């Protein structure tokens, strides 16, 4: 396979982090505020229904001959103002602590920095030891003294318990508990099911699902004390079936289901649970790099049996795996995801599910959920993979 120079990529990433402002992040297109539109949808429908009923009664009782449209406009204007006020109300950041996992990734790194700028006490969890992380050192340099750095391996029970003890002993002054936990730590397993070793499947579940569930379980007593919230970063891919990404999509869907059940359990305790289902490239760019992608591909190919290698062929295998290179090469627009993650932490009334995606992704997710499977697969069939010459691996 083609060899890539990752030294320049790391240097470029460190340089971009040193600039220290989310305003420098590339933004490809204007963001569509799906959260606001979804918040307004039901009130608009109720306004229309109320306008029909009231105008009909006024006409029947010969009280007024005002049009249904005029009544609707009056109701809509009143409702929009009330809903937007409800949507944009923020909590005070003073004395509120927020734990963020996976701060090795750009989206979690910038989230930690922005929440610190807003006045929250941030506990930034890194998967690697702090003294080995350039990102951790830069983050500490560019934030206030409130921000705390943690080595937090979500697959390690010892690491999780140590983090819980540290946070409970270093809560903000006057705080009864932890305001929020934001799960951004993920590990990607790619490949068709027959290619992925069972150990890789287990690791994917441990890091993506079980680690998040166990950390939430440990932190819930602290979150309940402050009637805080839990936020899960997932991917819109969980709603879109696609080859090679099966395990990744499955773990993301599992997190969403877990979050939905947790939301019902915590409702009586005053704890909010939100899911941020980011666009296709935003989480992909945060989780993948070319080295990891190609190393995974080589390791899995080496572990296939002779019969499997003969059946699939090296050309097909490489074409399938390299079809995912866009997730490591294309620059993602993470600002929409970053904005709604901040909203999920700082708004008084957070939404249950945020979808910071493009219009195309929104339509495809809607069709994947509502169209008959056979029709959807015709409309969104995966293009036939083009193969490369033998010997690429």
């Amino acid at each position: 396979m083609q060899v890539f120079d990752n030294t320049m990529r790391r240097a470029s990433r460190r340089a971009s982090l040193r600039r220290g402002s989310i305003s420098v992040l590339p933004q490809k297109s204007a963001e569509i505020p799906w959260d606001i539109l979804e918040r307004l949808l039901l009130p608009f429908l109720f306004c229309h229904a109320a306008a029909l009923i009231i105008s009909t009664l006024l006409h029947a009782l010969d009280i007024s001959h005002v049009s249904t449209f005029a009544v609707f406009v009056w109701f809509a204007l009143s409702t929009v103002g009330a809903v937007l006020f409800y949507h944009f109300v923020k909590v005070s950041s003073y004395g509120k602590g927020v734990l963020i996992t996976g701060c090795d990734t750009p989206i979690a790194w910038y989230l930690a920095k922005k929440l610190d700028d807003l006045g929250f006490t941030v506990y930034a969890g890194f998967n690697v030891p702090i003294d080995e992380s350039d990102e951790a050192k830069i983050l500490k340099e560019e934030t206030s003294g409130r921000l705390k750095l943690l080595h937090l391996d979500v697959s390690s029970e010892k690491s999780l318990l140590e983090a819980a003890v540290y946070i409970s002993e270093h809560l903000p002054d006057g705080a009864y508990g932890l305001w929020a936990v934001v799960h951004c730590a993920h590990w990607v397993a790619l490949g068709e099911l027959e290619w992925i070793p069972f150990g890789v499947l287990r690791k994917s579940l441990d890091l993506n699902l079980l680690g998040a569930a166990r950390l939430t379980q440990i932190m819930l007593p602290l979150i309940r004390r402050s009637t805080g919230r839990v936020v899960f970063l997932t991917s819109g891919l969980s709603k879109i079936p696609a080859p090679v990404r099966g395990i990744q999509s499955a773990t993301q869907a599992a997190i969403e289901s877990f979050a939905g059940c947790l939301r019902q359990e915590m409702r009586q305790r005053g704890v909010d649970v939100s899911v941020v289902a980011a666009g296709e490239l935003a989480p992909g760019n945060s989780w993948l790099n070319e080295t990891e992608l190609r190393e995974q591909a080589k390791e899995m190919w080496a572990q296939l049996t002779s019969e499997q290698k003969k059946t699939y062929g090296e050309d097909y295998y490489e074409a399938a795996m390299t079809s995912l290179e866009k997730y490591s090469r294309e620059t993602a627009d993470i600002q929409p995801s970053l904005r709604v993650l901040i909203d999920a932490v700082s708004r008084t009334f957070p939404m249950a599910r945020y979808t910071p995606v493009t219009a195309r992704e929104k339509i495809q997710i809607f069709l994947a959920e509502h169209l008959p499977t056979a029709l959807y697969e015709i409309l969104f069939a995966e293009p036939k993979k083009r193969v490369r010459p033998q010997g690429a691996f």
Side-chain angles (χ1 to χ4, degrees):
M1 296 177 76
Q2 181 182 358
V3 178
F4 291 90
D5 183 5
N6 288 285
T7 302
M8 293 302 296
R9 174 175 289 273
R10 295 192 194 97
S12 175
R13 184 179 174 201
R14 284 197 290 269
S16 68
L17 289 175
R18 285 190 183 277
R19 287 193 286 267
S21 170
I22 63 170
S23 64
V24 302
L25 291 175
Q27 186 164 354
K28 293 182 178 179
S29 58
E31 177 189 354
I32 301 176
W34 296 111
D35 52 328
I36 298 176
L37 297 179
E38 291 168 2
R39 186 84 89 175
L40 289 171
L41 177 61
L42 278 179
F44 263 109
L45 293 178
F46 281 119
C47 286
H48 185 256
L52 283 173
I53 295 171
I54 291 175
S55 63
T56 301
L57 288 175
L58 291 176
H59 290 177
L61 298 175
D62 202 25
I63 297 175
S64 172
H65 294 285
V66 63
S67 68
T68 301
F69 179 75
V71 177
F72 169 75
V73 169
W74 186 86
F75 273 117
L77 291 176
S78 303
T79 301
V80 167
V83 170
L84 291 180
F85 175 80
Y86 173 86
H87 181 78
F88 286 111
V89 173
K90 289 186 176 182
V91 300
S92 170
S93 61
Y94 177 76
K96 289 183 170 60
V98 180
L99 171 61
I100 306 172
T101 67
C103 287
D104 316 76
T105 61
I107 193 167
W109 192 97
Y110 280 101
L111 175 64
K113 185 180 185 305
K114 183 60 177 175
L115 290 179
D116 177 76
D117 292 341
L118 292 175
F120 289 92
T121 298
V122 177
Y123 306 93
F126 288 80
N127 296 327
V128 299
I130 300 303
D131 56 0
E132 298 177 11
S133 173
D134 292 331
E135 287 84 357
K137 296 172 185 175
I138 299 170
L139 182 62
K140 189 62 178 177
E141 291 172 2
E142 302 198 358
T143 51
S144 71
R146 291 187 307 273
L147 186 135
K148 311 291 192 300
L149 301 178
L150 301 175
H151 174 212
L152 182 56
D153 179 0
V154 297
S155 64
S156 168
E157 179 78 4
K158 180 175 180 290
S159 179
L160 296 179
L161 293 175
E162 287 177 348
V165 171
Y166 178 86
I167 291 171
S168 63
E169 294 176 349
H170 296 81
L171 289 172
D173 293 339
Y176 293 103
L178 184 66
W179 174 248
V181 174
V182 185
H183 294 280
C184 295
H186 291 274
W187 186 76
V188 177
L190 299 170
E192 294 188 14
L193 181 60
E194 193 174 355
W195 305 342
I196 303 177
F198 181 71
V200 175
L201 297 179
R202 185 183 295 278
K203 183 177 179 180
S204 180
L205 289 173
D206 285 344
L207 292 175
N208 295 339
L209 176 60
L210 300 181
R214 179 56 179 151
L215 179 60
T216 303
Q217 190 178 47
I218 292 172
M219 295 297 177
L220 271 180
L222 287 175
I223 297 172
R224 278 193 287 101
R225 290 179 204 168
S226 62
T227 58
R229 55 201 54 181
V230 184
V231 182
F232 296 90
L233 174 63
T234 67
S235 169
L237 292 178
S238 63
K239 302 293 184 181
I240 301 176
V244 186
R245 302 179 305 210
I247 299 303
Q248 181 63 21
S249 296
T251 56
Q252 299 303 293
I255 291 173
E256 290 212 31
S257 297
F258 169 73
C261 296
L262 182 65
R263 185 181 306 111
Q264 298 295 324
E265 295 170 1
M266 291 292 104
R267 181 169 293 169
Q268 295 182 355
R269 309 285 176 244
V271 174
D272 294 306
V273 179
S274 297
V275 168
V276 175
E280 185 176 34
L281 285 176
N285 179 268
S286 302
W287 301 339
L288 291 178
N289 64 54
E290 291 167 339
T291 300
E292 291 175 349
L293 177 62
R294 292 179 179 272
E295 284 179 354
Q296 283 189 29
K298 289 180 181 179
E299 289 174 5
M300 288 192 296
W301 177 257
Q303 295 182 52
L304 295 182
T305 65
S306 299
E307 187 274 336
Q308 289 172 325
K309 290 180 180 179
K310 182 178 179 181
T311 299
Y312 288 100
E314 191 173 358
D315 292 339
Y316 175 84
Y317 179 83
E318 185 186 7
M321 296 303 296
T322 55
S323 67
L324 297 164
E325 286 182 347
K326 65 178 180 178
Y327 297 106
S328 62
R329 288 183 175 180
E330 294 190 26
T331 302
D333 178 11
I334 67 173
Q335 289 202 49
S337 300
L338 190 60
R339 179 186 67 80
V340 297
L341 282 168
I342 294 169
D343 284 356
V345 172
S346 62
R347 300 295 186 196
T348 304
F349 307 104
M351 297 184 66
R353 190 170 191 268
Y354 295 87
T355 54
V357 297
T358 64
R360 181 185 182 281
E361 290 169 337
K362 190 75 170 179
I363 293 171
Q364 187 173 358
I365 291 170
F366 178 83
L367 295 178
E369 291 180 309
H370 296 91
L371 280 184
T373 302
L375 179 57
Y376 172 83
E377 291 180 350
I378 291 173
L379 294 175
F380 293 95
E382 286 286 319
K384 186 176 180 180
K385 298 178 178 64
R386 291 178 290 181
V387 299
R388 298 182 184 178
Q390 291 284 350
F393 279 97

